[in-house]
Amino acid sequence: MTNIRVKHTLIDERSILELLQGYNLGPISRCSFLTRGLNDTYLIITPRKQYIFRVYRYGWRNKEAIQFEIDALQHLKNKTFTISHPIAKRDGTYLNEIDAPEGLRYGMLFSYSQGERPAINARNAQLIGESLGKLHHKTDDFHSEYNRGFKIDLNHLLDEPTAMILPVINKFFGKKVEGDVQEIVENLKTGLRNKELEIGFCHGDFHNHNMHVENGKIEVFDFDGAAMGFRAYDVAVSWWNLLTNYGEKEEECWEAFLKGYSSQRTLAKDDFASLPLLITARRFWLLGTMLQNEDVWGTNWINKQSLELFILQIKTDMIREM
């Protein structure tokens, strides 16, 4: 019999229930697998409350990186910022060690964000902008003794993804197009280096898919991409989401988002000017992340059509930036 190697296992709900015995949750009515992404998410239902249990992907975030995330979430909770926050076990710790076939993984229980994903309209866009402004304001004094393992900087957004992307571009389109893409990357890096950008704690993936709204209040979750870095990147991700997924509402909602953000925090001139560049950087980061994690997204989508769209988007971005 051939010995198999495992990239990623889906842990049975019965094993999750065993891990939950370490918490003061009382009777558990249901544990169900909710969604697979860069991490695996389970919905936990008790007679009184709902929770989220996350199992971190092996090799994606190490223990120290997750401890950084816990510190950030605790900081925001203490500052009364509405988030899905980690729930401690009876022994006061947060992490569960899971001896999975592929290696050591970590699990953590979170509070459940009530409500639903915000529909994109001017009112909600303003609320989302206000929420991001508050998040940045309340983390101005945040620090952690733990090393996150990355920063939201040029290396994370451009250098690392480009190392994954260029060989694929070369494979489908040849050296000429690869060179064109590399030139765009160098122009982005030059443009961003020439700006004095605010550095601080960032959510890293701030858009309406990572929050719920209930009774006019936004609650934010999924800080898996959070780190120290370019604050303007958080703003740019929200704009990227409007441009990419809600084009017909982009102008009105972008104006509303900026109104909300500026009601809580001033966006400096260089930070504002960097936003179009960071939208393009977001495209590189996302494509690189998808290529890096083929056990999440597979490889069927890696084809000439999807890559032509990426090239068109980054070239169109550069025209808008000029």
Side-chain angles (χ1 to χ4, degrees):
M1 181 179 292
T2 302
N3 291 326
I4 65 167
R5 296 178 177 86
V6 176
K7 285 187 175 181
H8 181 73
T9 54
L10 180 61
I11 297 172
D12 189 274
E13 288 88 345
R14 289 169 294 184
S15 294
I16 301 298
L17 286 170
E18 291 177 11
L19 292 170
L20 293 174
Q21 297 308 304
Y23 297 85
N24 289 317
L25 301 184
I28 297 175
S29 306
R30 182 159 62 94
C31 168
S32 57
F33 176 65
L34 191 61
T35 184
R36 180 187 184 190
L38 288 170
N39 303 298
D40 295 333
T41 304
Y42 297 78
L43 175 64
I44 312 301
I45 299 177
T46 74
R48 294 178 55 198
K49 288 185 177 181
Q50 296 184 93
Y51 302 89
I52 290 294
F53 192 83
R54 174 194 288 171
V55 181
Y56 290 82
R57 179 171 294 269
Y58 170 71
W60 179 244
R61 300 281 182 251
N62 63 26
K63 187 173 184 178
E64 188 167 10
I66 302 171
Q67 291 286 0
F68 175 98
E69 182 181 346
I70 292 171
D71 281 355
L73 294 173
Q74 291 290 63
H75 178 92
L76 284 164
K77 184 174 180 288
N78 292 339
K79 291 289 187 82
T80 67
F81 183 80
T82 50
I83 54 166
S84 168
H85 57 84
I87 307 292
K89 296 186 286 185
R90 277 193 292 270
D91 63 7
T93 63
Y94 291 93
L95 289 182
N96 299 271
E97 293 190 351
I98 302 170
D99 186 17
E102 64 269 33
L104 181 64
R105 296 175 64 181
Y106 297 96
M108 188 156 65
L109 187 69
F110 292 84
S111 63
Y112 183 85
S113 295
Q114 300 295 330
E116 58 187 15
R117 180 185 300 168
I120 290 300
N121 54 48
R123 173 57 184 153
N124 283 341
Q126 183 171 338
L127 289 174
I128 293 169
E130 288 175 4
S131 179
L132 182 58
K134 290 176 183 177
L135 187 154
H136 285 170
H137 176 69
K138 290 177 181 288
T139 54
D140 278 339
D141 59 346
F142 168 71
H143 66 276
S144 174
E145 65 183 64
Y146 297 103
N147 182 5
R148 184 56 159 161
F150 68 96
K151 296 178 181 179
I152 298 176
D153 57 9
L154 295 180
N155 180 60
H156 179 68
L157 297 176
L158 291 170
D159 290 337
E160 292 177 353
T162 301
M164 301 289 299
I165 292 168
L166 289 182
V168 180
I169 295 294
N170 187 357
K171 174 184 174 182
F172 281 90
F173 303 104
K175 278 287 185 184
K176 170 64 170 62
V177 178
E178 179 189 359
D180 292 343
V181 173
Q182 181 65 63
E183 183 179 358
I184 290 173
V185 172
E186 294 306 318
N187 288 338
L188 286 171
K189 290 164 68 174
T190 300
L192 290 167
R193 286 193 185 108
N194 287 337
K195 294 176 172 54
E196 294 184 11
L197 301 181
E198 181 187 0
I199 303 297
F201 179 81
C202 305
H203 179 277
D205 200 18
F206 199 86
H207 54 83
N208 66 320
H209 286 233
N210 288 328
M211 58 190 68
H212 281 169
V213 62
E214 185 177 51
N215 299 324
K217 294 183 178 180
I218 296 287
E219 182 163 312
V220 183
F221 50 84
D222 195 358
F223 283 73
D224 184 52
M228 305 300 288
F230 300 140
R231 281 269 175 78
Y233 179 71
D234 270 350
V235 179
V237 168
S238 291
W239 193 5
W240 160 86
N241 183 46
L242 294 175
L243 282 167
T244 304
N245 300 315
Y246 305 95
E248 74 284 357
K249 301 178 182 179
E250 179 261 329
E251 186 173 349
E252 178 188 20
C253 291
W254 175 235
E255 182 179 343
F257 175 92
L258 286 177
K259 181 179 179 181
Y261 186 88
S262 61
S263 72
Q264 304 297 320
R265 189 176 187 84
T266 299
L267 192 63
K269 181 179 179 182
D270 271 5
D271 288 304
F272 185 80
S274 75
L275 296 179
L277 300 171
L278 288 169
I279 286 175
T280 313
R282 168 69 175 192
R283 300 195 198 279
F284 277 92
W285 174 85
L286 183 58
L287 180 57
T289 300
M290 293 178 70
L291 290 171
Q292 180 185 357
N293 295 279
E294 63 181 36
D295 57 330
V296 181
W297 289 284
T299 58
N300 189 52
W301 63 273
I302 306 173
N303 53 51
K304 193 170 184 179
Q305 183 178 6
S306 63
L307 293 170
E308 281 176 340
L309 176 60
F310 168 75
I311 293 167
L312 176 62
Q313 287 173 332
I314 62 175
K315 287 185 175 180
T316 303
D317 288 343
M318 295 307 291
I319 293 170
R320 187 175 67 243
E321 288 154 14
M322 295 188 298

